[in-house]
Each structure stands twice: as structure tokens, then as C-alpha cells.
Amino acid sequence: MSDLLQSETITLSEEERLQLRKEVRELCEKFGNEYWRELDPDRKYPQEFVDALTEAGYLSVLIPKEYGGKGYGLTEATIILEEIHRAGGHAAACHAQMYTMGSLLRHGSREQKEKYLPGIASGEIRMQAFSITEPEAGSNTTAIETFAEKTDDGYVINGHKNWTSRIKQSDLLLLLARTTPLEEVDKKSRGMTLFLVDLREIRQNQPNALEVESVRTMFNYATNKIWYKNMKVPEDSVIGEVGSGFKYVLDGMNAERILLASESIGDGYFFIDHAVEYASEREVFNRKIGQNQGVQFPIARAYASIKAADALRYKAAEKFDTGENCGEEANTAKLISSEASWEAANVAMNTYGGNGFVDQYDIERKFRETRMYQVAPVNNNMILSYIGQHVLGMPRSY
């Protein structure tokens, strides 16, 4: 049994969860829509907001108390992310410190945990970067070509990745690379190894081994293309067993999908909150527009969709926290919540009319942000494939 499962997970009562929501909301009020709006044009990283979350201990909630974290379950972590998004913020600047944590907690060595977890919990060490996807492989992770060659004292890594986010704002990097060529393994999911790379050492002693190129996306998201050029890492940077890295990545995907589902749900509530307020105040033709069924009913329907996704998110998180198989719930929660938030986004845009396209109302900014969840961290078509094959028992569709 892993050290994570041996550690006692703290489950908050409903009253304590309401208090957690209140405290996160109060923190987010210090970073209102104006703060996020001003960062958006130049895609500036919200460093002050991330620092405040770190200081409050919200980014280390999943770290066991013995290492300085709060020791909460995934359910509590989803509440934090939901509230950030409902307040108008976006957790893309920091959410990886939650969902990448599982690989270290579940599969890292005792030495790795003792070396890094206390520093992550205190905020001294930032663990924000996850490097898996490659331009040619895309969603077919087993086709990655980044290779880690074994040496006497470690590995030398060469390759090219994209969608490696927050590497400039991180001290540690989780990197998936092949250690056995694809043509030499009996199963394509084998022969990949997960490395925990100390970027501080790389920047200081091997500055030419890492090339980073920022990528501008349609919303404020600190992501990059990466080239690894003869980057040397020590043998003790391997997470778990050599060749089993893909399994460890898959192990963390349910947590990632549940956490990002909660962000979608937070976005959905943001759109509903704003649409309701605007429809209740805006007058056209001498009546509140919210009196019109053509305005009111779409808002009510979008709210119902968000509530359904919300319930499924809690079910998925509950099963994850109790160690049950939650693949169906995690994938379905991500699917339903991403579609529900997009429905709410369109409803809010229609409610605001032309004003929805004006940056000062914040609808267009959140509209751009919430569209991501139908594509990342996994495309919804891939989730439908999972449900069709693994839940409904139909033949593999790809």
C-alpha cells in the first residue's frame, strides 16, 4: 500500500466545507475581475494571486500533514478550484501543483517525498510543470519520442515537448520520456519512465540543456514549447519503477479530470450568477429582460445542467477519496461539466447581448477560458471512446 493511502486523509464536514468556501471566496475577493482583466491583454502570470494561495496553504491541501500539508481529500481540493473560478479567476496558473502531486505522493520514494514535499507545502519549492505531450504524438502518449538514455550515474534526455505549462514559474518538473524504444517493448504502454527534474539545478549547471519558447493562446495561459538537449538527470530522479511511467501518469488522470471538472463548474456558476444579475437589472422595452421567457428559461436550463455536473463531480471525488475505481465518474464528470459550462457561457453571452463582447463585463474573457475544458486535459471525444469501450463494453473505436 502506498504512503499516500497509509496517511490519514482528512475529510471535512459539510459545515467545514462551507467555511472553506467562505475563506477561499474572501481571498479571491482581493483579486477581483479587474485584476484578471488587466492581466489578460499581455497574458501576464498572476504571481500575486498564486503567492496568496500558496501562503494560505491552498496549493498544498493534498500533501499529508506529516509533510506540512493540510492532508485534505480531493473533494476539498475541488471546492477550492471551483470557488476560484466562480469568483472570476482562473486556476490554470497553479492547478498543476494539485494534480501532479499524485505521482510523487503515490509512487515517489520516501527520500523524494522527504526532500521535496515540505518545501512544496511551505511554498519554498514550486511544482507546477508537467511535460508529456509532443507535437506529433498528440493524445497518443505511447508514441512519444523524447528519450532518456541510461548512463553510469543517471540519464541523458533529448526530445521536444509542447503544452509544458508554467515551467518558467516552477522549480520542479515531471517529465515523461521513453527509456526503451517503442519497437522493443511487448506492449506500447511500457518502456516509458517518469522523472522528477530539479529545474534549479538544470538552470544553474546546464543552462543550454533546456530551451523554452512561450506560446500565446486565446486566453491567459502560461504554456510553452520545450526542447531537451542532452539534459543530464541523476538516477534518483526516477519516480517509481523504470519503464512504468505511463501507468503512473494514467493513475493521476482521474484526479486531474475531477479537479478540472470543478473548474468548469465554477465557470458555469460564474456565468449563471452574472446572467441572473444582469437579466434582473437590465431594462429594455420598459421591462426587465429576465421577465422574458426567452431570456429566463435558457438561464434556468443552464443552471440545471451545472447542478447535475456538480453532483457528479462530488460522486467522482468521493469515490477517489475512498480508493474506489472512479474512472467512469471522473471521465463523465469532466465531459458533462465542460459541456454545461459552455452552455452557461453561451447563455450569459446571449443575455448580455452586445455588452457580452465588451471586456469590462468579463463575459468574453471567461467565455474564452471555459472553452478549453472540452479539449483539455483530454478531448471529449476521447472520453466518449472511454465510456463506449470501458463502461459500455463496445469495441475499441480507435
Side-chain angles (χ1 to χ4, degrees):
M1 183 177 289
S2 70
D3 292 329
L4 175 63
L5 295 179
Q6 289 175 350
S7 301
E8 181 181 356
T9 299
I10 299 173
T11 301
L12 300 183
S13 66
E14 285 305 311
E15 183 177 349
E16 290 171 327
R17 288 176 179 173
L18 287 174
Q19 181 62 27
L20 175 62
R21 286 185 182 278
K22 180 177 180 292
E23 292 171 356
V24 175
R25 198 171 298 148
E26 289 174 350
L27 185 152
C28 290
E29 285 174 356
K30 301 174 184 177
F31 302 90
N33 282 303
E34 185 177 354
Y35 171 79
W36 296 97
R37 196 185 313 139
E38 290 178 354
L39 296 177
D40 188 61
D42 296 325
R43 303 298 193 262
K44 292 181 180 178
Y45 186 77
Q47 189 64 60
E48 304 87 355
F49 177 69
V50 176
D51 289 345
L53 286 178
T54 302
E55 184 177 350
Y58 292 138
L59 297 186
S60 60
V61 291
L62 297 177
I63 297 178
K65 295 194 73 174
E66 63 187 281
Y67 294 112
K70 292 186 179 294
Y72 290 170
L74 195 71
T75 303
E76 285 69 29
T78 68
I79 289 172
I80 294 169
L81 296 183
E82 178 196 331
E83 288 297 331
I84 291 172
H85 282 248
R86 187 167 190 169
H90 199 282
C94 53
H95 57 198
Q97 190 141 310
M98 287 187 179
Y99 67 72
T100 60
M101 199 64 61
S103 296
L104 177 56
L105 289 173
R106 289 176 176 269
H107 308 291
S109 66
R110 172 64 66 175
E111 292 74 21
Q112 288 170 327
K113 295 174 189 178
E114 292 177 346
K115 181 177 181 180
Y116 294 117
L117 286 179
I120 296 172
S122 69
E124 179 184 352
I125 300 174
R126 301 166 299 171
M127 184 179 179
Q128 292 284 5
F130 204 24
S131 194
I132 293 181
T133 309
E134 298 185 6
E136 298 303 321
S139 297
N140 185 12
T141 304
T142 59
I144 64 170
E145 296 180 352
T146 296
F147 197 82
E149 183 177 355
K150 187 71 180 71
T151 63
D152 291 339
D153 57 352
Y155 294 84
V156 175
I157 302 175
N158 285 279
H160 174 34
K161 302 279 189 180
N162 59 354
W163 303 117
T164 299
S165 303
R166 300 163 300 272
I167 192 170
K168 295 179 181 179
Q169 295 82 22
S170 192
D171 300 307
L172 300 178
L173 165 77
L174 280 176
L175 166 64
L176 186 68
R178 278 215 164 269
T179 43
T180 303
L182 179 60
E183 60 272 16
E184 295 181 15
V185 295
D186 57 356
K187 188 177 181 181
K188 62 182 181 180
S189 60
R190 294 174 180 163
M192 288 176 282
T193 300
L194 190 62
F195 295 89
L196 181 61
V197 180
D198 193 327
L199 293 168
R200 297 167 298 181
E201 189 280 328
I202 301 299
R203 290 167 181 145
Q204 180 176 347
N205 300 319
Q206 304 179 64
N208 296 324
L210 182 64
E211 181 179 338
V212 180
E213 178 184 322
S214 298
V215 176
R216 182 181 174 89
T217 63
M218 76 181 211
F219 68 96
N220 192 1
Y221 190 45
T223 196
N224 311 275
K225 297 178 181 178
I226 307 292
W227 286 264
Y228 303 105
K229 301 178 177 180
N230 293 319
M231 184 175 73
K232 299 176 182 177
V233 298
E235 194 161 3
D236 62 6
S237 63
V238 172
I239 294 280
E241 297 180 358
V242 173
S244 297
F246 185 63
K247 179 176 65 175
Y248 304 150
V249 170
L250 287 178
D251 186 44
M253 284 184 175
N254 285 335
E256 180 185 29
R257 288 166 192 183
I258 296 168
L259 287 167
L260 269 69
S262 72
E263 295 182 6
S264 297
I265 290 163
D267 280 352
Y269 283 130
F270 170 91
F271 290 119
I272 298 299
D273 292 343
H274 283 70
V276 167
E277 181 180 8
Y278 192 81
S280 300
E281 296 177 354
R282 173 72 168 162
E283 288 191 14
V284 179
F285 300 118
N286 300 316
R287 58 189 276 134
K288 306 291 187 185
I289 64 173
Q291 290 180 259
N292 301 316
Q293 292 182 358
V295 174
Q296 184 180 123
F297 285 10
I299 297 174
R301 182 174 291 277
Y303 174 76
S305 296
I306 291 294
K307 289 296 288 185
D310 200 347
L312 187 55
R313 174 273 304 260
Y314 275 119
K315 181 63 176 177
E318 178 185 352
K319 293 189 76 170
F320 183 92
D321 285 336
T322 55
E324 298 178 64
N325 185 345
C326 63
E328 176 180 352
E329 290 79 8
N331 280 278
T332 307
K334 187 272 179 187
L335 171 72
I336 298 302
S337 63
S338 66
E339 293 182 344
S341 71
W342 184 237
E343 177 188 2
N346 281 284
V347 165
M349 186 68 78
N350 289 336
T351 302
Y352 274 73
N355 285 337
F357 294 87
V358 180
D359 60 356
Q360 74 181 71
Y361 291 93
D362 300 298
I363 301 300
E364 63 85 25
R365 172 176 58 84
K366 294 297 293 179
F367 188 91
R368 287 182 279 116
E369 291 174 359
T370 210
R371 183 60 179 85
M372 177 192 76
Y373 296 110
Q374 294 182 60
V375 176
V378 61
N379 192 291
N380 280 355
N381 281 339
M382 295 296 290
I383 287 184
L384 293 173
S385 295
Y386 174 90
I387 294 172
Q389 179 184 351
H390 296 286
V391 178
L392 301 179
M394 292 188 285
R396 181 170 179 160
S397 61
Y398 64 94

